[in-house]
Amino acid sequence: GDWKKASTLSPGDPVYMSLREGPFGRQVAIDVPRIAAYHTRKSPRLPREWTVDLAELVGYAMADGHIARSNDNGKPAKLVLAFGWHDGALIGHLARIITALFGKEPTRRITRTCPTLEVAGVDICGLIEALGAGGSSKVIQVPPGLCRAPRAIVAAFLRGYFEGDGTAGAALSVRSVSRDMLEGVHHLLAMFGIPSRISDGGPDPRGYAPRHTLFVLGDRSKRQFRQRIGFLTAAKCRRCSSWPRTAAR
């Protein structure tokens, strides 16, 4: 094919994709001011840069978490993460991350529908929102800073996000009601040389928002995902062990 300027492309034009990694950035700094009215000795510490732990937490929170707001002033007050009934190891992993990042132990609860982890703090939740990880599930997008982040940070975010909303089996996929979110994930996967496609969801007869699905394409791409990104839990790692380890000859 011929090289063309992006400005000359139209919807539907075929575009060739490189299967090589990169380019990744080097930016890790976070400059987010505290939003609490005042600082006390009990105020949580806040990370000043992206780390693997923070990226995993943000990725999982965007998949299976939400930020509850104060009824008094409307400020972000509590980060709530939801889990499956057999996710004890994952709960412990993310609880340790929260404690290490913020110096504050999260609260474990059992609700009628699932176990949860909760950590309260307007500064903590304000940081999560400032990174671009807040908002309704219909409008969430990949945090913009990840497009300039190092390889390990991008991989950690994808690992957390796929752990929450992803499926590992015959197909490797992730679902969301936000198509913009999946388009951002598609871009991040392309940085690892992993192609994917997005299938639009149809109307839900129950009146819920349609859920779109991103599929990782081909056995080679599944292997690349397993080797370069992976999952947080042993259960999903075992499910992807059935993927071919070498390309068919």
mmCIF file of all heavy atoms in Angstrom, residues 110-150:
data_model
loop_
_atom_site.group_PDB
_atom_site.id
_atom_site.type_symbol
_atom_site.label_atom_id
_atom_site.label_comp_id
_atom_site.label_asym_id
_atom_site.label_seq_id
_atom_site.Cartn_x
_atom_site.Cartn_y
_atom_site.Cartn_z
ATOM 1 N N ILE A 110 -19.543 -7.638 52.726
ATOM 2 C CA ILE A 110 -20.301 -8.641 51.983
ATOM 3 C C ILE A 110 -21.714 -8.086 51.780
ATOM 4 O O ILE A 110 -22.450 -7.895 52.750
ATOM 5 C CB ILE A 110 -20.372 -9.987 52.737
ATOM 6 C CG1 ILE A 110 -18.961 -10.523 52.996
ATOM 7 C CG2 ILE A 110 -21.195 -10.991 51.936
ATOM 8 C CD1 ILE A 110 -18.184 -10.899 51.748
ATOM 9 N N THR A 111 -22.056 -7.792 50.554
ATOM 10 C CA THR A 111 -23.401 -7.297 50.260
ATOM 11 C C THR A 111 -24.279 -8.468 49.825
ATOM 12 O O THR A 111 -23.830 -9.613 49.754
ATOM 13 C CB THR A 111 -23.357 -6.244 49.144
ATOM 14 O OG1 THR A 111 -23.058 -6.884 47.889
ATOM 15 C CG2 THR A 111 -22.286 -5.190 49.431
ATOM 16 N N ARG A 112 -25.520 -8.166 49.521
ATOM 17 C CA ARG A 112 -26.435 -9.227 49.089
ATOM 18 C C ARG A 112 -26.025 -9.811 47.737
ATOM 19 O O ARG A 112 -26.373 -10.953 47.422
ATOM 20 C CB ARG A 112 -27.859 -8.676 48.976
ATOM 21 C CG ARG A 112 -28.501 -8.371 50.317
ATOM 22 C CD ARG A 112 -29.905 -7.859 50.123
ATOM 23 N NE ARG A 112 -29.928 -6.622 49.335
ATOM 24 C CZ ARG A 112 -31.034 -6.022 48.916
ATOM 25 N NH1 ARG A 112 -32.223 -6.559 49.181
ATOM 26 N NH2 ARG A 112 -30.969 -4.890 48.225
ATOM 27 N N THR A 113 -25.289 -9.046 46.944
ATOM 28 C CA THR A 113 -24.968 -9.500 45.592
ATOM 29 C C THR A 113 -23.515 -9.888 45.390
ATOM 30 O O THR A 113 -23.212 -10.700 44.512
ATOM 31 C CB THR A 113 -25.323 -8.409 44.566
ATOM 32 O OG1 THR A 113 -24.629 -7.193 44.923
ATOM 33 C CG2 THR A 113 -26.822 -8.144 44.565
ATOM 34 N N CYS A 114 -22.600 -9.326 46.201
ATOM 35 C CA CYS A 114 -21.178 -9.616 45.963
ATOM 36 C C CYS A 114 -20.323 -9.065 47.103
ATOM 37 O O CYS A 114 -20.763 -8.196 47.866
ATOM 38 C CB CYS A 114 -20.725 -9.003 44.634
ATOM 39 S SG CYS A 114 -20.783 -7.192 44.637
ATOM 40 N N PRO A 115 -19.077 -9.538 47.214
ATOM 41 C CA PRO A 115 -18.134 -8.922 48.153
ATOM 42 C C PRO A 115 -17.625 -7.600 47.565
ATOM 43 O O PRO A 115 -17.550 -7.439 46.343
ATOM 44 C CB PRO A 115 -16.999 -9.952 48.257
ATOM 45 C CG PRO A 115 -17.464 -11.166 47.529
ATOM 46 C CD PRO A 115 -18.517 -10.735 46.569
ATOM 47 N N THR A 116 -17.263 -6.667 48.442
ATOM 48 C CA THR A 116 -16.727 -5.396 47.984
ATOM 49 C C THR A 116 -15.532 -4.976 48.828
ATOM 50 O O THR A 116 -15.347 -5.439 49.958
ATOM 51 C CB THR A 116 -17.780 -4.271 48.043
ATOM 52 O OG1 THR A 116 -18.128 -4.027 49.415
ATOM 53 C CG2 THR A 116 -19.022 -4.624 47.237
ATOM 54 N N LEU A 117 -14.725 -4.104 48.245
ATOM 55 C CA LEU A 117 -13.702 -3.356 48.969
ATOM 56 C C LEU A 117 -14.087 -1.895 48.888
ATOM 57 O O LEU A 117 -14.445 -1.403 47.811
ATOM 58 C CB LEU A 117 -12.321 -3.539 48.335
ATOM 59 C CG LEU A 117 -11.447 -4.714 48.730
ATOM 60 C CD1 LEU A 117 -10.110 -4.617 47.978
ATOM 61 C CD2 LEU A 117 -11.209 -4.768 50.221
ATOM 62 N N GLU A 118 -13.988 -1.172 50.008
ATOM 63 C CA GLU A 118 -14.325 0.242 50.022
ATOM 64 C C GLU A 118 -13.206 1.018 50.708
ATOM 65 O O GLU A 118 -12.699 0.605 51.747
ATOM 66 C CB GLU A 118 -15.637 0.481 50.777
ATOM 67 C CG GLU A 118 -16.828 -0.248 50.188
ATOM 68 C CD GLU A 118 -18.097 -0.042 51.003
ATOM 69 O OE1 GLU A 118 -18.027 0.689 52.015
ATOM 70 O OE2 GLU A 118 -19.143 -0.598 50.637
ATOM 71 N N VAL A 119 -12.835 2.131 50.097
ATOM 72 C CA VAL A 119 -11.891 3.033 50.739
ATOM 73 C C VAL A 119 -12.449 4.444 50.608
ATOM 74 O O VAL A 119 -12.757 4.905 49.515
ATOM 75 C CB VAL A 119 -10.466 2.916 50.136
ATOM 76 C CG1 VAL A 119 -10.460 3.222 48.645
ATOM 77 C CG2 VAL A 119 -9.490 3.821 50.883
ATOM 78 N N ALA A 120 -12.630 5.093 51.755
ATOM 79 C CA ALA A 120 -13.215 6.432 51.782
ATOM 80 C C ALA A 120 -12.112 7.477 51.775
ATOM 81 O O ALA A 120 -11.004 7.259 52.273
ATOM 82 C CB ALA A 120 -14.109 6.598 53.004
ATOM 83 N N GLY A 121 -12.427 8.629 51.219
ATOM 84 C CA GLY A 121 -11.473 9.727 51.208
ATOM 85 C C GLY A 121 -11.677 10.599 49.990
ATOM 86 O O GLY A 121 -11.567 10.115 48.859
ATOM 87 N N VAL A 122 -11.960 11.872 50.214
ATOM 88 C CA VAL A 122 -12.214 12.762 49.097
ATOM 89 C C VAL A 122 -10.958 12.956 48.249
ATOM 90 O O VAL A 122 -11.038 13.102 47.022
ATOM 91 C CB VAL A 122 -12.777 14.119 49.612
ATOM 92 C CG1 VAL A 122 -11.747 14.861 50.449
ATOM 93 C CG2 VAL A 122 -13.243 14.987 48.461
ATOM 94 N N ASP A 123 -9.780 12.938 48.891
ATOM 95 C CA ASP A 123 -8.539 13.101 48.128
ATOM 96 C C ASP A 123 -8.245 11.868 47.282
ATOM 97 O O ASP A 123 -7.786 11.987 46.134
ATOM 98 C CB ASP A 123 -7.369 13.377 49.073
ATOM 99 C CG ASP A 123 -7.360 14.821 49.568
ATOM 100 O OD1 ASP A 123 -7.831 15.697 48.823
ATOM 101 O OD2 ASP A 123 -6.877 15.064 50.693
ATOM 102 N N ILE A 124 -8.488 10.676 47.838
ATOM 103 C CA ILE A 124 -8.260 9.445 47.084
ATOM 104 C C ILE A 124 -9.175 9.389 45.866
ATOM 105 O O ILE A 124 -8.736 9.149 44.742
ATOM 106 C CB ILE A 124 -8.477 8.213 47.987
ATOM 107 C CG1 ILE A 124 -7.425 8.160 49.085
ATOM 108 C CG2 ILE A 124 -8.444 6.927 47.150
ATOM 109 C CD1 ILE A 124 -7.664 7.057 50.102
ATOM 110 N N CYS A 125 -10.448 9.629 46.093
ATOM 111 C CA CYS A 125 -11.411 9.563 44.989
ATOM 112 C C CYS A 125 -11.199 10.705 44.005
ATOM 113 O O CYS A 125 -11.387 10.542 42.794
ATOM 114 C CB CYS A 125 -12.836 9.589 45.527
ATOM 115 S SG CYS A 125 -13.227 8.168 46.571
ATOM 116 N N GLY A 126 -10.791 11.870 44.524
ATOM 117 C CA GLY A 126 -10.488 12.984 43.630
ATOM 118 C C GLY A 126 -9.315 12.671 42.727
ATOM 119 O O GLY A 126 -9.301 13.055 41.545
ATOM 120 N N LEU A 127 -8.321 11.959 43.264
ATOM 121 C CA LEU A 127 -7.189 11.545 42.437
ATOM 122 C C LEU A 127 -7.636 10.599 41.329
ATOM 123 O O LEU A 127 -7.256 10.766 40.165
ATOM 124 C CB LEU A 127 -6.133 10.859 43.312
ATOM 125 C CG LEU A 127 -5.008 10.145 42.560
ATOM 126 C CD1 LEU A 127 -4.100 11.160 41.882
ATOM 127 C CD2 LEU A 127 -4.209 9.237 43.489
ATOM 128 N N ILE A 128 -8.449 9.601 41.685
ATOM 129 C CA ILE A 128 -8.922 8.635 40.689
ATOM 130 C C ILE A 128 -9.683 9.357 39.575
ATOM 131 O O ILE A 128 -9.492 9.081 38.389
ATOM 132 C CB ILE A 128 -9.825 7.576 41.359
ATOM 133 C CG1 ILE A 128 -9.053 6.799 42.429
ATOM 134 C CG2 ILE A 128 -10.389 6.617 40.314
ATOM 135 C CD1 ILE A 128 -7.888 6.006 41.923
ATOM 136 N N GLU A 129 -10.525 10.313 39.953
ATOM 137 C CA GLU A 129 -11.278 11.064 38.947
ATOM 138 C C GLU A 129 -10.358 11.950 38.113
ATOM 139 O O GLU A 129 -10.522 12.067 36.893
ATOM 140 C CB GLU A 129 -12.359 11.904 39.612
ATOM 141 C CG GLU A 129 -13.539 11.094 40.117
ATOM 142 C CD GLU A 129 -14.745 11.955 40.442
ATOM 143 O OE1 GLU A 129 -14.552 13.151 40.736
ATOM 144 O OE2 GLU A 129 -15.876 11.435 40.405
ATOM 145 N N ALA A 130 -9.390 12.585 38.754
ATOM 146 C CA ALA A 130 -8.484 13.476 38.028
ATOM 147 C C ALA A 130 -7.639 12.719 37.011
ATOM 148 O O ALA A 130 -7.250 13.280 35.978
ATOM 149 C CB ALA A 130 -7.582 14.223 39.015
ATOM 150 N N LEU A 131 -7.362 11.453 37.292
ATOM 151 C CA LEU A 131 -6.605 10.637 36.335
ATOM 152 C C LEU A 131 -7.453 10.280 35.116
ATOM 153 O O LEU A 131 -6.927 9.776 34.127
ATOM 154 C CB LEU A 131 -6.112 9.357 37.013
ATOM 155 C CG LEU A 131 -5.037 9.540 38.087
ATOM 156 C CD1 LEU A 131 -4.711 8.196 38.738
ATOM 157 C CD2 LEU A 131 -3.785 10.163 37.494
ATOM 158 N N GLY A 132 -8.769 10.519 35.196
ATOM 159 C CA GLY A 132 -9.660 10.215 34.075
ATOM 160 C C GLY A 132 -10.416 8.929 34.255
ATOM 161 O O GLY A 132 -10.962 8.393 33.284
ATOM 162 N N ALA A 133 -10.459 8.411 35.489
ATOM 163 C CA ALA A 133 -11.079 7.110 35.729
ATOM 164 C C ALA A 133 -12.435 7.211 36.396
ATOM 165 O O ALA A 133 -12.961 6.217 36.873
ATOM 166 C CB ALA A 133 -10.154 6.240 36.584
ATOM 167 N N GLY A 134 -13.017 8.400 36.444
ATOM 168 C CA GLY A 134 -14.328 8.552 37.053
ATOM 169 C C GLY A 134 -15.420 8.672 36.008
ATOM 170 O O GLY A 134 -15.183 8.568 34.806
ATOM 171 N N GLY A 135 -16.630 8.890 36.469
ATOM 172 C CA GLY A 135 -17.745 9.117 35.558
ATOM 173 C C GLY A 135 -18.618 7.898 35.374
ATOM 174 O O GLY A 135 -18.308 6.787 35.811
ATOM 175 N N SER A 136 -19.735 8.118 34.700
ATOM 176 C CA SER A 136 -20.687 7.044 34.410
ATOM 177 C C SER A 136 -20.066 6.006 33.492
ATOM 178 O O SER A 136 -19.228 6.320 32.644
ATOM 179 C CB SER A 136 -21.939 7.646 33.756
ATOM 180 O OG SER A 136 -22.716 6.657 33.131
ATOM 181 N N SER A 137 -20.500 4.742 33.653
ATOM 182 C CA SER A 137 -19.973 3.666 32.811
ATOM 183 C C SER A 137 -20.258 3.900 31.336
ATOM 184 O O SER A 137 -19.569 3.367 30.471
ATOM 185 C CB SER A 137 -20.563 2.321 33.249
ATOM 186 O OG SER A 137 -21.977 2.346 33.169
ATOM 187 N N LYS A 138 -21.270 4.725 31.028
ATOM 188 C CA LYS A 138 -21.620 4.976 29.625
ATOM 189 C C LYS A 138 -20.639 5.918 28.937
ATOM 190 O O LYS A 138 -20.552 5.931 27.709
ATOM 191 C CB LYS A 138 -23.035 5.561 29.525
ATOM 192 C CG LYS A 138 -24.142 4.643 30.003
ATOM 193 C CD LYS A 138 -25.492 5.321 29.860
ATOM 194 C CE LYS A 138 -26.618 4.435 30.372
ATOM 195 N NZ LYS A 138 -27.941 5.112 30.248
ATOM 196 N N VAL A 139 -19.922 6.707 29.718
ATOM 197 C CA VAL A 139 -19.084 7.751 29.117
ATOM 198 C C VAL A 139 -17.605 7.628 29.479
ATOM 199 O O VAL A 139 -16.810 8.487 29.096
ATOM 200 C CB VAL A 139 -19.597 9.151 29.515
ATOM 201 C CG1 VAL A 139 -21.021 9.354 29.024
ATOM 202 C CG2 VAL A 139 -19.529 9.360 31.030
ATOM 203 N N ILE A 140 -17.226 6.576 30.215
ATOM 204 C CA ILE A 140 -15.824 6.463 30.602
ATOM 205 C C ILE A 140 -14.933 6.291 29.378
ATOM 206 O O ILE A 140 -15.347 5.783 28.333
ATOM 207 C CB ILE A 140 -15.599 5.293 31.580
ATOM 208 C CG1 ILE A 140 -16.068 3.958 30.958
ATOM 209 C CG2 ILE A 140 -16.269 5.551 32.907
ATOM 210 C CD1 ILE A 140 -15.703 2.742 31.787
ATOM 211 N N GLN A 141 -13.697 6.740 29.522
ATOM 212 C CA GLN A 141 -12.680 6.613 28.484
ATOM 213 C C GLN A 141 -11.368 6.213 29.132
ATOM 214 O O GLN A 141 -11.173 6.420 30.342
ATOM 215 C CB GLN A 141 -12.501 7.927 27.727
ATOM 216 C CG GLN A 141 -13.742 8.420 26.992
ATOM 217 C CD GLN A 141 -13.498 9.738 26.277
ATOM 218 O OE1 GLN A 141 -12.499 10.412 26.505
ATOM 219 N NE2 GLN A 141 -14.417 10.107 25.407
ATOM 220 N N VAL A 142 -10.464 5.666 28.347
ATOM 221 C CA VAL A 142 -9.137 5.344 28.859
ATOM 222 C C VAL A 142 -8.476 6.628 29.361
ATOM 223 O O VAL A 142 -8.516 7.654 28.672
ATOM 224 C CB VAL A 142 -8.283 4.699 27.744
ATOM 225 C CG1 VAL A 142 -6.804 4.691 28.125
ATOM 226 C CG2 VAL A 142 -8.749 3.280 27.467
ATOM 227 N N PRO A 143 -7.897 6.618 30.562
ATOM 228 C CA PRO A 143 -7.212 7.815 31.063
ATOM 229 C C PRO A 143 -6.179 8.318 30.061
ATOM 230 O O PRO A 143 -5.329 7.543 29.598
ATOM 231 C CB PRO A 143 -6.541 7.318 32.351
ATOM 232 C CG PRO A 143 -7.432 6.214 32.826
ATOM 233 C CD PRO A 143 -7.904 5.534 31.567
ATOM 234 N N PRO A 144 -6.238 9.583 29.683
ATOM 235 C CA PRO A 144 -5.369 10.089 28.611
ATOM 236 C C PRO A 144 -3.887 9.966 28.902
ATOM 237 O O PRO A 144 -3.077 9.808 27.976
ATOM 238 C CB PRO A 144 -5.798 11.559 28.475
ATOM 239 C CG PRO A 144 -6.520 11.889 29.742
ATOM 240 C CD PRO A 144 -7.155 10.623 30.200
ATOM 241 N N GLY A 145 -3.492 10.010 30.188
ATOM 242 C CA GLY A 145 -2.079 9.915 30.515
ATOM 243 C C GLY A 145 -1.446 8.597 30.128
ATOM 244 O O GLY A 145 -0.219 8.509 29.964
ATOM 245 N N LEU A 146 -2.258 7.547 29.951
ATOM 246 C CA LEU A 146 -1.703 6.236 29.620
ATOM 247 C C LEU A 146 -1.126 6.193 28.209
ATOM 248 O O LEU A 146 -0.270 5.354 27.917
ATOM 249 C CB LEU A 146 -2.783 5.158 29.763
ATOM 250 C CG LEU A 146 -3.222 4.883 31.201
ATOM 251 C CD1 LEU A 146 -4.398 3.916 31.217
ATOM 252 C CD2 LEU A 146 -2.069 4.320 32.023
ATOM 253 N N CYS A 147 -1.569 7.066 27.339
ATOM 254 C CA CYS A 147 -1.041 7.090 25.973
ATOM 255 C C CYS A 147 0.409 7.570 25.943
ATOM 256 O O CYS A 147 1.099 7.383 24.939
ATOM 257 C CB CYS A 147 -1.904 7.979 25.084
ATOM 258 S SG CYS A 147 -3.595 7.385 24.881
ATOM 259 N N ARG A 148 0.869 8.173 27.026
ATOM 260 C CA ARG A 148 2.254 8.665 27.110
ATOM 261 C C ARG A 148 3.039 7.935 28.195
ATOM 262 O O ARG A 148 4.141 8.354 28.549
ATOM 263 C CB ARG A 148 2.256 10.168 27.387
ATOM 264 C CG ARG A 148 1.507 10.975 26.348
ATOM 265 C CD ARG A 148 1.536 12.471 26.643
ATOM 266 N NE ARG A 148 0.816 12.797 27.882
ATOM 267 C CZ ARG A 148 -0.496 12.984 27.952
ATOM 268 N NH1 ARG A 148 -1.237 12.891 26.862
ATOM 269 N NH2 ARG A 148 -1.077 13.275 29.097
ATOM 270 N N ALA A 149 2.469 6.847 28.731
ATOM 271 C CA ALA A 149 3.086 6.140 29.853
ATOM 272 C C ALA A 149 4.017 5.028 29.375
ATOM 273 O O ALA A 149 3.909 4.556 28.237
ATOM 274 C CB ALA A 149 1.994 5.551 30.754
ATOM 275 N N PRO A 150 4.913 4.566 30.231
ATOM 276 C CA PRO A 150 5.803 3.463 29.871
ATOM 277 C C PRO A 150 5.043 2.156 29.666
ATOM 278 O O PRO A 150 3.904 1.990 30.114
ATOM 279 C CB PRO A 150 6.751 3.354 31.075
ATOM 280 C CG PRO A 150 6.674 4.686 31.743
ATOM 281 C CD PRO A 150 5.275 5.164 31.531
#
